[in-house]
Amino acid sequence: MLVSPQTYIFKSMNFIVKIISLGGSIVVPDQVDTEFLKNFLALVKNYLDAGRAKKLVFVVGGGSTARNYQKAYREIAAAPDNDNQDWIGIAATRLNGELLKALFSDYCTDDVVTDPTAPISFKGQVLVAAGWKPGFSTDFDAVLLGERFKADTVINLSNISKVFSDDPKKNPDAVPLDKISWDDFKKMVGSEWVPGKNVPFDPIATAKAAELGMKVIIAAGKDIENLKAILEDRMEFFKGTVIG
């Protein structure tokens, strides 16, 4: 049985822990987006410097690095399988994780987390996590870390600003949603995980978050002012979709 990290990390102070699932598509849309990362770094540092009790967990995806290498594998391998594709994607998330850890080096003093179920040290204000094992996306890792650190919300930042009622590329009548229930969202994304599947929040993570009664906020990751409003809990100024 794992010991909850709160028993030794948070015993002397009440910390505010926020979980952010940071889509690889905004970190590495094609090449590494250095301009976004500079703005993101400045925002996060300002947020953390306003109070030592604030802590952030970043769970980062693989972005175009994962997609490009997975595509190459599928084109070359005689019989590509999902586990190998997942391991390739996981390697990309860990590379992105090391980049984030280096950028937040003054705030992140622990190793990149690659197993959300293992003992975790969280001594700094930032903890960076990456992919875990085949069959699970970084969205799922974010939910497990949210459960572990007693966070009731996962902030999911990607290249979409809202969840739509249907695929807007296929259905011109699809409309953006401010809120959606887990039951309705499950119908939308299905129940099967496929490496590289393009959905706002993956099906396995969806099932786990619904089971835990969590909320997930879907928002455009590169909208820095919007992210600032989310971090500061100024939800009247928030643009995005709340699931749950």
Side-chain angles (χ1 to χ4, degrees):
M1 179 178 177
L2 291 174
V3 178
S4 169
Q6 282 82 8
T7 59
Y8 58 91
I9 292 172
F10 303 147
K11 62 184 179 182
S12 62
M13 190 173 182
N14 290 323
F15 287 95
I16 302 167
V17 181
K18 293 182 185 289
I19 312 293
I20 297 179
S21 181
L22 189 61
S25 60
I26 57 175
V27 176
V28 192
D30 182 23
Q31 302 295 323
V32 177
D33 192 336
T34 55
E35 189 62 29
F36 161 70
L37 287 174
K38 288 176 185 176
N39 294 332
F40 183 73
L41 189 66
L43 169 68
V44 170
K45 285 184 175 181
N46 285 337
Y47 169 76
L48 293 173
D49 289 345
R52 296 297 297 174
K54 297 176 178 179
K55 287 178 176 273
L56 294 174
V57 179
F58 298 125
V59 190
V60 64
S64 66
T65 307
R67 292 192 298 274
N68 290 340
Y69 276 75
Q70 288 170 335
K71 180 182 178 184
Y73 166 68
R74 290 193 300 268
E75 290 179 356
I76 297 168
D81 67 67
N82 283 349
D83 276 6
N84 282 335
Q85 289 185 74
D86 266 344
W87 279 122
I88 291 168
I90 288 166
T93 71
R94 294 179 179 180
L95 177 62
N96 290 341
E98 292 296 340
L99 174 59
L100 283 183
K101 173 177 164 51
L103 291 174
F104 286 103
S105 57
D106 292 341
Y107 300 80
C108 181
T109 59
D110 299 295
D111 292 337
V112 174
V113 174
T114 57
D115 180 350
T117 68
I120 295 173
S121 173
F122 195 169
K123 296 175 183 175
Q125 283 186 275
V126 169
L127 185 68
V128 177
W132 177 24
K133 63 181 181 178
F136 303 97
S137 75
T138 49
D139 288 342
F140 184 79
D141 299 341
V143 172
L144 289 187
L145 289 167
E147 178 185 24
R148 187 155 185 183
F149 291 108
K150 302 190 184 304
D152 60 3
T153 301
V154 170
I155 303 165
N156 184 272
L157 303 178
S158 69
N159 56 3
I160 66 168
S161 58
K162 284 193 175 187
V163 174
F164 277 70
S165 58
D166 198 0
D167 187 343
K169 295 179 181 178
K170 299 177 181 178
N171 181 359
D173 296 324
V175 294
L177 305 172
D178 293 330
K179 295 180 180 180
I180 185 172
S181 70
W182 279 122
D183 285 344
D184 288 341
F185 190 75
K186 285 178 183 178
K187 295 173 186 175
M188 189 179 297
V189 300
S191 59
E192 183 180 359
W193 164 247
V194 177
K197 186 171 184 175
N198 188 20
V199 291
F201 205 68
D202 98 67
I204 308 303
T206 292
K208 184 64 175 179
E211 173 193 324
L212 294 171
M214 277 186 181
K215 289 191 301 184
V216 170
I217 294 173
I218 303 290
K222 293 191 178 183
D223 187 339
I224 294 296
E225 286 304 310
N226 194 44
L227 176 55
K228 182 179 180 182
I230 295 170
L231 288 176
E232 295 175 353
D233 297 316
R234 295 184 290 111
M235 301 309 287
E236 66 272 21
F237 301 106
F238 152 72
K239 293 176 288 185
T241 302
V242 177
I243 311 173

